[in-house]
Amino acid sequence: MSAHQYDEGHTVAGWTGFGIATVGTAVAGVGVCTVSATLIGGGLGIVVVGVLVTWALHLNGWGKPPGRRDRAQWGMRVRDPLARAGHAGCVGCRLAGRGQRGEGRTEETRQPVPVGETAG
């Protein structure tokens, strides 16, 4: 029996982003303690870099899609084969212009509904 029975979502993208964000928050924390706007701004800048690095790694297949995945995809060092097409329901993929826009919607349901009426 394996020690890991569940997909915990540990990924290269996640751990890299976590590490960068930890450094950024530590720098910002030192800035708060020393009352240094430069350190606070620098720390927040490092956190933003962490977000962007995590997003880039996710888009290159080193992150994982939201929701359940096959057991073969549970490993941290396994690249996601569906990353290029985008993940349904993934905000990061939608921001990058990947994946399906408006899943389950038809052209009719995308039209604005006049006030006082309901969409059908």
mmCIF file of all heavy atoms in Angstrom, residues 54-96:
data_model
loop_
_atom_site.group_PDB
_atom_site.id
_atom_site.type_symbol
_atom_site.label_atom_id
_atom_site.label_comp_id
_atom_site.label_asym_id
_atom_site.label_seq_id
_atom_site.Cartn_x
_atom_site.Cartn_y
_atom_site.Cartn_z
ATOM 1 N N THR A 54 4.815 31.218 -11.337
ATOM 2 C CA THR A 54 3.910 30.089 -11.146
ATOM 3 C C THR A 54 2.973 29.948 -12.337
ATOM 4 O O THR A 54 2.732 28.838 -12.835
ATOM 5 C CB THR A 54 3.087 30.265 -9.852
ATOM 6 O OG1 THR A 54 3.988 30.404 -8.762
ATOM 7 C CG2 THR A 54 2.168 29.087 -9.612
ATOM 8 N N TRP A 55 2.443 31.055 -12.814
ATOM 9 C CA TRP A 55 1.539 31.048 -13.969
ATOM 10 C C TRP A 55 2.263 30.527 -15.205
ATOM 11 O O TRP A 55 1.739 29.679 -15.935
ATOM 12 C CB TRP A 55 1.001 32.454 -14.189
ATOM 13 C CG TRP A 55 -0.040 32.584 -15.249
ATOM 14 C CD1 TRP A 55 -0.979 31.663 -15.612
ATOM 15 C CD2 TRP A 55 -0.268 33.718 -16.084
ATOM 16 N NE1 TRP A 55 -1.772 32.160 -16.609
ATOM 17 C CE2 TRP A 55 -1.353 33.423 -16.910
ATOM 18 C CE3 TRP A 55 0.341 34.962 -16.194
ATOM 19 C CZ2 TRP A 55 -1.836 34.322 -17.857
ATOM 20 C CZ3 TRP A 55 -0.156 35.855 -17.129
ATOM 21 C CH2 TRP A 55 -1.223 35.540 -17.952
ATOM 22 N N ALA A 56 3.482 31.014 -15.449
ATOM 23 C CA ALA A 56 4.251 30.564 -16.616
ATOM 24 C C ALA A 56 4.544 29.063 -16.532
ATOM 25 O O ALA A 56 4.420 28.337 -17.537
ATOM 26 C CB ALA A 56 5.547 31.355 -16.721
ATOM 27 N N LEU A 57 4.912 28.580 -15.359
ATOM 28 C CA LEU A 57 5.167 27.146 -15.202
ATOM 29 C C LEU A 57 3.891 26.332 -15.412
ATOM 30 O O LEU A 57 3.918 25.262 -16.027
ATOM 31 C CB LEU A 57 5.767 26.864 -13.817
ATOM 32 C CG LEU A 57 7.226 27.279 -13.630
ATOM 33 C CD1 LEU A 57 7.624 27.177 -12.168
ATOM 34 C CD2 LEU A 57 8.141 26.434 -14.499
ATOM 35 N N HIS A 58 2.768 26.820 -14.918
ATOM 36 C CA HIS A 58 1.489 26.139 -15.111
ATOM 37 C C HIS A 58 1.160 26.027 -16.596
ATOM 38 O O HIS A 58 0.762 24.968 -17.082
ATOM 39 C CB HIS A 58 0.373 26.880 -14.374
ATOM 40 C CG HIS A 58 -0.999 26.369 -14.700
ATOM 41 N ND1 HIS A 58 -1.485 25.196 -14.176
ATOM 42 C CD2 HIS A 58 -1.972 26.843 -15.510
ATOM 43 C CE1 HIS A 58 -2.709 24.982 -14.644
ATOM 44 N NE2 HIS A 58 -3.014 25.970 -15.458
ATOM 45 N N LEU A 59 1.343 27.109 -17.330
ATOM 46 C CA LEU A 59 1.036 27.110 -18.758
ATOM 47 C C LEU A 59 1.976 26.207 -19.549
ATOM 48 O O LEU A 59 1.625 25.737 -20.632
ATOM 49 C CB LEU A 59 1.084 28.532 -19.310
ATOM 50 C CG LEU A 59 -0.001 29.473 -18.782
ATOM 51 C CD1 LEU A 59 0.220 30.877 -19.318
ATOM 52 C CD2 LEU A 59 -1.391 28.967 -19.132
ATOM 53 N N ASN A 60 3.175 25.945 -19.013
ATOM 54 C CA ASN A 60 4.131 25.063 -19.679
ATOM 55 C C ASN A 60 4.016 23.614 -19.222
ATOM 56 O O ASN A 60 4.867 22.796 -19.546
ATOM 57 C CB ASN A 60 5.555 25.575 -19.465
ATOM 58 C CG ASN A 60 5.828 26.766 -20.351
ATOM 59 O OD1 ASN A 60 5.643 26.683 -21.559
ATOM 60 N ND2 ASN A 60 6.225 27.866 -19.754
ATOM 61 N N GLY A 61 2.986 23.308 -18.459
ATOM 62 C CA GLY A 61 2.725 21.919 -18.088
ATOM 63 C C GLY A 61 3.272 21.488 -16.748
ATOM 64 O O GLY A 61 3.149 20.323 -16.377
ATOM 65 N N TRP A 62 3.881 22.391 -15.976
ATOM 66 C CA TRP A 62 4.429 22.015 -14.679
ATOM 67 C C TRP A 62 3.464 22.259 -13.532
ATOM 68 O O TRP A 62 3.788 22.042 -12.379
ATOM 69 C CB TRP A 62 5.754 22.720 -14.424
ATOM 70 C CG TRP A 62 6.814 22.202 -15.322
ATOM 71 C CD1 TRP A 62 7.381 22.856 -16.367
ATOM 72 C CD2 TRP A 62 7.408 20.908 -15.288
ATOM 73 N NE1 TRP A 62 8.300 22.045 -16.983
ATOM 74 C CE2 TRP A 62 8.335 20.843 -16.335
ATOM 75 C CE3 TRP A 62 7.241 19.791 -14.480
ATOM 76 C CZ2 TRP A 62 9.102 19.715 -16.591
ATOM 77 C CZ3 TRP A 62 8.006 18.665 -14.736
ATOM 78 C CH2 TRP A 62 8.921 18.633 -15.773
ATOM 79 N N GLY A 63 2.258 22.716 -13.833
ATOM 80 C CA GLY A 63 1.202 22.844 -12.835
ATOM 81 C C GLY A 63 0.176 21.763 -13.079
ATOM 82 O O GLY A 63 0.357 20.894 -13.924
ATOM 83 N N LYS A 64 -0.902 21.806 -12.349
ATOM 84 C CA LYS A 64 -1.950 20.813 -12.530
ATOM 85 C C LYS A 64 -3.283 21.514 -12.763
ATOM 86 O O LYS A 64 -3.513 22.617 -12.275
ATOM 87 C CB LYS A 64 -2.062 19.926 -11.284
ATOM 88 C CG LYS A 64 -0.801 19.182 -10.921
ATOM 89 C CD LYS A 64 -0.567 18.029 -11.838
ATOM 90 C CE LYS A 64 0.581 17.168 -11.675
ATOM 91 N NZ LYS A 64 1.547 16.867 -10.904
ATOM 92 N N PRO A 65 -4.181 20.879 -13.502
ATOM 93 C CA PRO A 65 -5.497 21.466 -13.704
ATOM 94 C C PRO A 65 -6.339 21.362 -12.440
ATOM 95 O O PRO A 65 -6.066 20.521 -11.577
ATOM 96 C CB PRO A 65 -6.096 20.619 -14.824
ATOM 97 C CG PRO A 65 -5.432 19.294 -14.693
ATOM 98 C CD PRO A 65 -4.036 19.604 -14.203
ATOM 99 N N PRO A 66 -7.368 22.201 -12.328
ATOM 100 C CA PRO A 66 -8.259 22.074 -11.176
ATOM 101 C C PRO A 66 -9.070 20.784 -11.275
ATOM 102 O O PRO A 66 -9.321 20.282 -12.359
ATOM 103 C CB PRO A 66 -9.162 23.307 -11.284
ATOM 104 C CG PRO A 66 -9.066 23.764 -12.690
ATOM 105 C CD PRO A 66 -7.744 23.302 -13.214
ATOM 106 N N GLY A 67 -9.453 20.258 -10.145
ATOM 107 C CA GLY A 67 -10.299 19.063 -10.124
ATOM 108 C C GLY A 67 -9.495 17.771 -10.033
ATOM 109 O O GLY A 67 -8.294 17.763 -9.801
ATOM 110 N N ARG A 68 -10.192 16.653 -10.235
ATOM 111 C CA ARG A 68 -9.594 15.332 -10.106
ATOM 112 C C ARG A 68 -8.794 14.982 -11.351
ATOM 113 O O ARG A 68 -9.139 15.374 -12.453
ATOM 114 C CB ARG A 68 -10.692 14.293 -9.901
ATOM 115 C CG ARG A 68 -11.524 14.588 -8.664
ATOM 116 C CD ARG A 68 -12.553 13.546 -8.471
ATOM 117 N NE ARG A 68 -11.945 12.529 -7.610
ATOM 118 C CZ ARG A 68 -12.508 11.390 -7.324
ATOM 119 N NH1 ARG A 68 -13.660 11.077 -7.826
ATOM 120 N NH2 ARG A 68 -11.914 10.533 -6.538
ATOM 121 N N ARG A 69 -7.717 14.214 -11.144
ATOM 122 C CA ARG A 69 -6.867 13.774 -12.238
ATOM 123 C C ARG A 69 -6.621 12.284 -12.145
ATOM 124 O O ARG A 69 -6.806 11.673 -11.098
ATOM 125 C CB ARG A 69 -5.527 14.514 -12.182
ATOM 126 C CG ARG A 69 -5.691 15.966 -12.502
ATOM 127 C CD ARG A 69 -4.394 16.732 -12.327
ATOM 128 N NE ARG A 69 -4.097 16.853 -10.909
ATOM 129 C CZ ARG A 69 -2.951 16.466 -10.357
ATOM 130 N NH1 ARG A 69 -2.007 15.980 -11.069
ATOM 131 N NH2 ARG A 69 -2.749 16.596 -9.065
ATOM 132 N N ASP A 70 -6.162 11.712 -13.256
ATOM 133 C CA ASP A 70 -5.811 10.297 -13.270
ATOM 134 C C ASP A 70 -4.651 10.047 -12.320
ATOM 135 O O ASP A 70 -3.802 10.897 -12.115
ATOM 136 C CB ASP A 70 -5.397 9.859 -14.674
ATOM 137 C CG ASP A 70 -6.541 9.903 -15.661
ATOM 138 O OD1 ASP A 70 -7.700 9.750 -15.223
ATOM 139 O OD2 ASP A 70 -6.270 10.082 -16.862
ATOM 140 N N ARG A 71 -4.597 8.852 -11.785
ATOM 141 C CA ARG A 71 -3.544 8.495 -10.833
ATOM 142 C C ARG A 71 -2.150 8.627 -11.458
ATOM 143 O O ARG A 71 -1.196 8.981 -10.787
ATOM 144 C CB ARG A 71 -3.762 7.077 -10.315
ATOM 145 C CG ARG A 71 -2.872 6.739 -9.159
ATOM 146 C CD ARG A 71 -3.264 5.374 -8.575
ATOM 147 N NE ARG A 71 -2.450 5.073 -7.435
ATOM 148 C CZ ARG A 71 -2.792 5.317 -6.174
ATOM 149 N NH1 ARG A 71 -3.946 5.878 -5.904
ATOM 150 N NH2 ARG A 71 -1.994 4.999 -5.182
ATOM 151 N N ALA A 72 -2.021 8.404 -12.751
ATOM 152 C CA ALA A 72 -0.733 8.522 -13.429
ATOM 153 C C ALA A 72 -0.224 9.961 -13.423
ATOM 154 O O ALA A 72 0.967 10.195 -13.587
ATOM 155 C CB ALA A 72 -0.856 8.021 -14.863
ATOM 156 N N GLN A 73 -1.098 10.927 -13.204
ATOM 157 C CA GLN A 73 -0.733 12.337 -13.192
ATOM 158 C C GLN A 73 -0.463 12.869 -11.787
ATOM 159 O O GLN A 73 -0.227 14.060 -11.620
ATOM 160 C CB GLN A 73 -1.854 13.169 -13.824
ATOM 161 C CG GLN A 73 -2.036 12.927 -15.296
ATOM 162 C CD GLN A 73 -0.857 13.449 -16.080
ATOM 163 O OE1 GLN A 73 -0.406 14.562 -15.853
ATOM 164 N NE2 GLN A 73 -0.339 12.638 -16.976
ATOM 165 N N TRP A 74 -0.454 12.029 -10.786
ATOM 166 C CA TRP A 74 -0.313 12.473 -9.408
ATOM 167 C C TRP A 74 1.102 12.896 -9.047
ATOM 168 O O TRP A 74 1.294 13.700 -8.159
ATOM 169 C CB TRP A 74 -0.745 11.375 -8.446
ATOM 170 C CG TRP A 74 -2.228 11.227 -8.340
ATOM 171 C CD1 TRP A 74 -3.173 11.785 -9.144
ATOM 172 C CD2 TRP A 74 -2.933 10.446 -7.383
ATOM 173 N NE1 TRP A 74 -4.419 11.406 -8.753
ATOM 174 C CE2 TRP A 74 -4.301 10.576 -7.666
ATOM 175 C CE3 TRP A 74 -2.544 9.652 -6.328
ATOM 176 C CZ2 TRP A 74 -5.277 9.951 -6.921
ATOM 177 C CZ3 TRP A 74 -3.525 9.020 -5.583
ATOM 178 C CH2 TRP A 74 -4.877 9.168 -5.880
ATOM 179 N N GLY A 75 2.097 12.381 -9.703
ATOM 180 C CA GLY A 75 3.480 12.670 -9.340
ATOM 181 C C GLY A 75 3.849 14.134 -9.542
ATOM 182 O O GLY A 75 3.368 14.800 -10.462
ATOM 183 N N MET A 76 4.725 14.643 -8.689
ATOM 184 C CA MET A 76 5.127 16.042 -8.769
ATOM 185 C C MET A 76 5.901 16.336 -10.048
ATOM 186 O O MET A 76 5.780 17.403 -10.619
ATOM 187 C CB MET A 76 5.982 16.397 -7.557
ATOM 188 C CG MET A 76 6.425 17.831 -7.552
ATOM 189 S SD MET A 76 7.231 18.209 -6.004
ATOM 190 C CE MET A 76 8.159 19.634 -6.461
ATOM 191 N N ARG A 77 6.676 15.404 -10.514
ATOM 192 C CA ARG A 77 7.525 15.644 -11.680
ATOM 193 C C ARG A 77 6.870 15.235 -12.990
ATOM 194 O O ARG A 77 7.533 15.172 -14.013
ATOM 195 C CB ARG A 77 8.832 14.905 -11.498
ATOM 196 C CG ARG A 77 9.615 15.468 -10.326
ATOM 197 C CD ARG A 77 10.973 14.828 -10.203
ATOM 198 N NE ARG A 77 11.603 15.340 -8.998
ATOM 199 C CZ ARG A 77 12.136 14.576 -8.075
ATOM 200 N NH1 ARG A 77 12.134 13.278 -8.204
ATOM 201 N NH2 ARG A 77 12.682 15.123 -7.011
ATOM 202 N N VAL A 78 5.582 14.980 -12.980
ATOM 203 C CA VAL A 78 4.869 14.605 -14.195
ATOM 204 C C VAL A 78 4.296 15.858 -14.828
ATOM 205 O O VAL A 78 3.539 16.594 -14.198
ATOM 206 C CB VAL A 78 3.728 13.605 -13.877
ATOM 207 C CG1 VAL A 78 2.941 13.279 -15.116
ATOM 208 C CG2 VAL A 78 4.292 12.353 -13.248
ATOM 209 N N ARG A 79 4.670 16.106 -16.089
ATOM 210 C CA ARG A 79 4.130 17.270 -16.796
ATOM 211 C C ARG A 79 2.700 16.985 -17.239
ATOM 212 O O ARG A 79 2.348 15.867 -17.570
ATOM 213 C CB ARG A 79 4.979 17.609 -18.012
ATOM 214 C CG ARG A 79 6.288 18.248 -17.604
ATOM 215 C CD ARG A 79 7.061 18.690 -18.778
ATOM 216 N NE ARG A 79 6.536 19.973 -19.222
ATOM 217 C CZ ARG A 79 7.127 20.725 -20.123
ATOM 218 N NH1 ARG A 79 8.245 20.334 -20.682
ATOM 219 N NH2 ARG A 79 6.600 21.872 -20.480
ATOM 220 N N ASP A 80 1.895 18.010 -17.256
ATOM 221 C CA ASP A 80 0.497 17.898 -17.649
ATOM 222 C C ASP A 80 0.404 17.924 -19.167
ATOM 223 O O ASP A 80 0.728 18.935 -19.797
ATOM 224 C CB ASP A 80 -0.286 19.064 -17.046
ATOM 225 C CG ASP A 80 -1.746 19.026 -17.398
ATOM 226 O OD1 ASP A 80 -2.225 17.980 -17.867
ATOM 227 O OD2 ASP A 80 -2.418 20.054 -17.201
ATOM 228 N N PRO A 81 -0.068 16.834 -19.794
ATOM 229 C CA PRO A 81 -0.137 16.785 -21.256
ATOM 230 C C PRO A 81 -1.236 17.685 -21.847
ATOM 231 O O PRO A 81 -1.217 17.979 -23.036
ATOM 232 C CB PRO A 81 -0.413 15.309 -21.550
ATOM 233 C CG PRO A 81 -1.110 14.807 -20.325
ATOM 234 C CD PRO A 81 -0.520 15.587 -19.183
ATOM 235 N N LEU A 82 -2.181 18.128 -21.038
ATOM 236 C CA LEU A 82 -3.285 18.942 -21.539
ATOM 237 C C LEU A 82 -3.053 20.440 -21.390
ATOM 238 O O LEU A 82 -3.928 21.238 -21.721
ATOM 239 C CB LEU A 82 -4.575 18.558 -20.797
ATOM 240 C CG LEU A 82 -4.967 17.089 -20.857
ATOM 241 C CD1 LEU A 82 -6.172 16.831 -19.985
ATOM 242 C CD2 LEU A 82 -5.217 16.665 -22.285
ATOM 243 N N ALA A 83 -1.887 20.842 -20.918
ATOM 244 C CA ALA A 83 -1.635 22.255 -20.623
ATOM 245 C C ALA A 83 -1.687 23.126 -21.868
ATOM 246 O O ALA A 83 -2.162 24.258 -21.822
ATOM 247 C CB ALA A 83 -0.291 22.411 -19.930
ATOM 248 N N ARG A 84 -1.200 22.643 -22.995
ATOM 249 C CA ARG A 84 -1.182 23.454 -24.221
ATOM 250 C C ARG A 84 -2.588 23.828 -24.683
ATOM 251 O O ARG A 84 -2.801 24.926 -25.183
ATOM 252 C CB ARG A 84 -0.466 22.717 -25.343
ATOM 253 C CG ARG A 84 1.010 22.652 -25.140
ATOM 254 C CD ARG A 84 1.624 23.938 -25.602
ATOM 255 N NE ARG A 84 3.064 23.863 -25.496
ATOM 256 C CZ ARG A 84 3.802 24.864 -25.112
ATOM 257 N NH1 ARG A 84 3.271 26.005 -24.786
ATOM 258 N NH2 ARG A 84 5.100 24.733 -25.045
ATOM 259 N N ALA A 85 -3.536 22.929 -24.510
ATOM 260 C CA ALA A 85 -4.910 23.197 -24.931
ATOM 261 C C ALA A 85 -5.662 24.036 -23.916
ATOM 262 O O ALA A 85 -6.669 24.655 -24.237
ATOM 263 C CB ALA A 85 -5.651 21.880 -25.164
ATOM 264 N N GLY A 86 -5.196 24.068 -22.683
ATOM 265 C CA GLY A 86 -5.881 24.797 -21.618
ATOM 266 C C GLY A 86 -6.799 23.884 -20.843
ATOM 267 O O GLY A 86 -7.247 22.857 -21.345
ATOM 268 N N HIS A 87 -7.068 24.251 -19.607
ATOM 269 C CA HIS A 87 -7.919 23.455 -18.726
ATOM 270 C C HIS A 87 -9.286 24.121 -18.594
ATOM 271 O O HIS A 87 -9.359 25.328 -18.379
ATOM 272 C CB HIS A 87 -7.283 23.343 -17.330
ATOM 273 C CG HIS A 87 -5.900 22.801 -17.357
ATOM 274 N ND1 HIS A 87 -4.805 23.576 -17.035
ATOM 275 C CD2 HIS A 87 -5.425 21.579 -17.679
ATOM 276 C CE1 HIS A 87 -3.718 22.837 -17.146
ATOM 277 N NE2 HIS A 87 -4.069 21.627 -17.533
ATOM 278 N N ALA A 88 -10.316 23.323 -18.685
ATOM 279 C CA ALA A 88 -11.669 23.842 -18.493
ATOM 280 C C ALA A 88 -11.817 24.323 -17.056
ATOM 281 O O ALA A 88 -11.418 23.644 -16.121
ATOM 282 C CB ALA A 88 -12.693 22.755 -18.788
ATOM 283 N N GLY A 89 -12.316 25.510 -16.869
ATOM 284 C CA GLY A 89 -12.533 26.052 -15.540
ATOM 285 C C GLY A 89 -11.290 26.631 -14.883
ATOM 286 O O GLY A 89 -11.317 26.972 -13.714
ATOM 287 N N CYS A 90 -10.196 26.755 -15.608
ATOM 288 C CA CYS A 90 -8.948 27.270 -15.051
ATOM 289 C C CYS A 90 -8.807 28.752 -15.391
ATOM 290 O O CYS A 90 -8.738 29.125 -16.559
ATOM 291 C CB CYS A 90 -7.761 26.483 -15.605
ATOM 292 S SG CYS A 90 -6.170 27.093 -15.040
ATOM 293 N N VAL A 91 -8.760 29.582 -14.370
ATOM 294 C CA VAL A 91 -8.656 31.029 -14.571
ATOM 295 C C VAL A 91 -7.337 31.379 -15.247
ATOM 296 O O VAL A 91 -7.288 32.212 -16.148
ATOM 297 C CB VAL A 91 -8.796 31.769 -13.218
ATOM 298 C CG1 VAL A 91 -8.561 33.257 -13.392
ATOM 299 C CG2 VAL A 91 -10.162 31.517 -12.617
ATOM 300 N N GLY A 92 -6.248 30.747 -14.843
ATOM 301 C CA GLY A 92 -4.948 31.018 -15.440
ATOM 302 C C GLY A 92 -4.916 30.720 -16.922
ATOM 303 O O GLY A 92 -4.350 31.482 -17.713
ATOM 304 N N CYS A 93 -5.525 29.615 -17.327
ATOM 305 C CA CYS A 93 -5.578 29.271 -18.752
ATOM 306 C C CYS A 93 -6.471 30.248 -19.510
ATOM 307 O O CYS A 93 -6.160 30.642 -20.629
ATOM 308 C CB CYS A 93 -6.081 27.842 -18.933
ATOM 309 S SG CYS A 93 -4.882 26.593 -18.408
ATOM 310 N N ARG A 94 -7.583 30.639 -18.896
ATOM 311 C CA ARG A 94 -8.464 31.614 -19.546
ATOM 312 C C ARG A 94 -7.767 32.953 -19.733
ATOM 313 O O ARG A 94 -7.910 33.602 -20.768
ATOM 314 C CB ARG A 94 -9.742 31.802 -18.743
ATOM 315 C CG ARG A 94 -10.908 31.042 -19.370
ATOM 316 C CD ARG A 94 -12.176 31.334 -18.641
ATOM 317 N NE ARG A 94 -12.045 30.653 -17.351
ATOM 318 C CZ ARG A 94 -12.784 30.894 -16.303
ATOM 319 N NH1 ARG A 94 -13.703 31.810 -16.343
ATOM 320 N NH2 ARG A 94 -12.611 30.247 -15.188
ATOM 321 N N LEU A 95 -6.987 33.399 -18.737
ATOM 322 C CA LEU A 95 -6.248 34.655 -18.856
ATOM 323 C C LEU A 95 -5.217 34.592 -19.977
ATOM 324 O O LEU A 95 -4.899 35.598 -20.592
ATOM 325 C CB LEU A 95 -5.566 35.004 -17.537
ATOM 326 C CG LEU A 95 -6.484 35.471 -16.412
ATOM 327 C CD1 LEU A 95 -5.700 35.610 -15.121
ATOM 328 C CD2 LEU A 95 -7.140 36.788 -16.773
ATOM 329 N N ALA A 96 -4.689 33.402 -20.246
ATOM 330 C CA ALA A 96 -3.705 33.227 -21.308
ATOM 331 C C ALA A 96 -4.359 32.976 -22.665
ATOM 332 O O ALA A 96 -3.670 32.796 -23.657
ATOM 333 C CB ALA A 96 -2.780 32.062 -20.963
#
